[in-house]
Amino acid sequence: MNRISWDQYFMAQSHLLALRSTCTRLAVGATIVREKRMIAGGYNGSITGGDHCIDTGCYVIEGHCVRTIHAEMNAILQCAKFGVPTEGAEIYVTHFPCLQCCKAIIQAGIRSVFYSADYKNHPYAVELFQQAGVKVRQVEHKQPDYSRNGEKDELLADLLNRLKELADDESELSELTKRADRLISGT
């Protein structure tokens, strides 16, 4: 079994965090990492105890939901709340950070930004990251296969081969093979 890379591991954590998002426009997750250890995580949502977009709708002003705190900001604030330093850390984000989050990331002393998907990549954010010497790199997010389908496919093929050896009824074997193929292909 091959292990996923550290980048894939931390990006998967950010995608998992995004599942907690209460934003109806875009679910984002962020994980702050130092020395290959997760030190904080965040997702975009409302302030603690506040109304959530999934419950009452977005509060949009000039094209932006002002109710939502971005995932990157929530992760940085979590570090501040619990006294965890961010200097020299890395952040893994499901989407390219907005301009405001870019500035917060730089000010927090985070040295590397890894993101999965482009999202309105602001040219000034790109420029600021470059000026501050923050390394920015896109990391492909590969959806992990938790189902162990490869092992299932192999077992099914072995069972069908054994059935071919033992089968008396060719039509029954043909029907079982068709059912197995549909199961494997997901149709």
Side-chain angles (χ1 to χ4, degrees):
M1 180 174 146
N2 292 332
R3 295 188 333 166
I4 61 174
S5 70
W6 284 112
D7 288 343
Q8 288 293 319
Y9 175 74
F10 296 126
M11 192 57 73
Q13 177 66 33
S14 295
H15 280 275
L16 183 62
L17 283 161
L19 296 174
R20 290 280 306 152
S21 172
T22 60
C23 178
T24 58
R25 295 160 49 109
L26 181 69
V28 179
T31 305
I32 300 178
V33 174
R34 192 176 47 251
E35 298 175 14
K36 302 287 184 248
R37 300 289 179 258
M38 293 178 272
I39 60 173
Y43 52 87
N44 54 336
S46 301
I47 61 167
T48 304
D51 290 335
H52 291 279
C53 297
I54 58 173
D55 298 325
T56 59
C58 292
Y59 184 10
V60 179
I61 298 176
E62 296 176 10
H64 300 289
C65 180
V66 297
R67 177 173 290 143
T68 300
I69 301 167
H70 290 190
E72 303 92 323
M73 198 65 79
N74 265 329
I76 292 168
L77 291 170
Q78 185 180 54
C79 286
K81 185 175 183 177
F82 294 107
V84 178
T86 55
E87 184 70 36
E90 304 170 327
I91 190 166
Y92 289 79
V93 191
T94 57
H95 296 77
F96 189 87
C98 74
L99 183 56
Q100 296 306 318
C101 287
C102 160
K103 293 188 278 187
I105 288 166
I106 292 167
Q107 288 300 97
I110 294 171
R111 303 308 304 156
S112 299
V113 175
F114 300 92
Y115 70 97
S116 181
D118 289 314
Y119 182 74
K120 300 180 181 179
N121 301 24
H122 198 287
Y124 189 51
V126 173
E127 182 182 330
L128 287 176
F129 280 140
Q130 288 172 343
Q131 284 178 11
V134 174
K135 176 180 146 187
V136 178
R137 186 165 61 89
Q138 189 168 14
V139 173
E140 180 186 4
H141 174 62
K142 296 177 184 172
Q143 187 65 30
D145 182 8
Y146 299 114
S147 66
R148 299 171 55 190
N149 277 339
E151 290 178 43
K152 289 179 184 178
D153 294 349
E154 188 177 318
L155 174 62
L156 198 49
D158 289 346
L159 289 171
L160 286 171
N161 286 333
R162 183 70 181 131
L163 273 174
K164 286 177 187 174
E165 294 170 7
L166 300 172
D168 291 332
D169 184 355
E170 193 66 35
S171 65
E172 183 180 1
L173 180 60
S174 176
E175 181 55 36
L176 287 171
T177 303
K178 287 177 189 174
R179 287 178 56 199
D181 288 341
R182 283 194 305 266
L183 180 65
I184 291 169
S185 66
T187 58

